[in-house]
């Protein structure tokens, strides 16, 4: 049985979180538009979500979802519905600001 190096996983997660990407742009945009407090709140949320995702992956959530396909499908459809909700909000906001 192989030993899992959790320290390496945590360091890798922090490196991935620190690298620039869409979350960085969202945080910068929120900070510029709404101020430091909202930007820090969004950054804390992104950090928490990323760490939870990494921890779940490290501790076998993938194996759990592989054995329980219904759990994976439920999570996938919830994610898709959330993305559709965000798209709807974005579209509605774009039309309201165009007036």
């Amino acid at each position: 049985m192989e030993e899992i190096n959790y320290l390496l996983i945590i360091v890798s997660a922090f490196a991935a979180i620190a690298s620039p990407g869409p979350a960085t742009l969202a945080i910068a945009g929120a900070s510029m538009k709404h101020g430091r407090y909202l930007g820090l709140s969004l950054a804390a949320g992104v950090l928490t979500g990323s760490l939870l995702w990494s921890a779940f992956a490290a501790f076998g959530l993938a194996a759990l979802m592989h054995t329980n396909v219904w759990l994976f499908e439920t999570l996938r459809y919830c994610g898709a519905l959330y993305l559709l909700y965000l798209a709807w909000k974005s579209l509605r906001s774009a039309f309201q600001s165009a007036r």
Side-chain angles (χ1 to χ4, degrees):
M1 183 171 183
E2 288 186 41
E3 187 174 317
I4 298 174
N5 189 345
Y6 290 111
L7 181 62
L8 180 62
I9 293 170
I10 291 171
V11 169
S12 299
F14 275 112
I17 292 166
S19 65
T24 305
L25 294 175
I27 294 166
S31 296
M32 288 187 281
K33 188 172 183 180
H34 300 289
R36 180 183 294 179
Y37 180 75
L38 188 73
L40 288 173
S41 297
L42 181 57
V46 168
L47 176 67
T48 303
S50 296
L51 284 175
L52 282 173
W53 184 264
S54 299
F56 288 159
F59 291 111
L61 186 63
L64 178 69
M65 287 192 186
H66 183 71
T67 57
N68 297 310
V69 177
W70 65 269
L71 182 63
F72 174 73
E73 290 296 321
T74 302
L75 186 63
R76 191 172 77 144
Y77 285 119
C78 287
L81 287 173
Y82 181 66
L83 288 175
L84 287 172
Y85 167 73
L86 290 178
W88 171 253
K89 277 182 58 173
S90 178
L91 187 64
R92 195 176 69 196
S93 174
F95 281 126
Q96 286 178 350
S97 64
R99 292 182 192 176

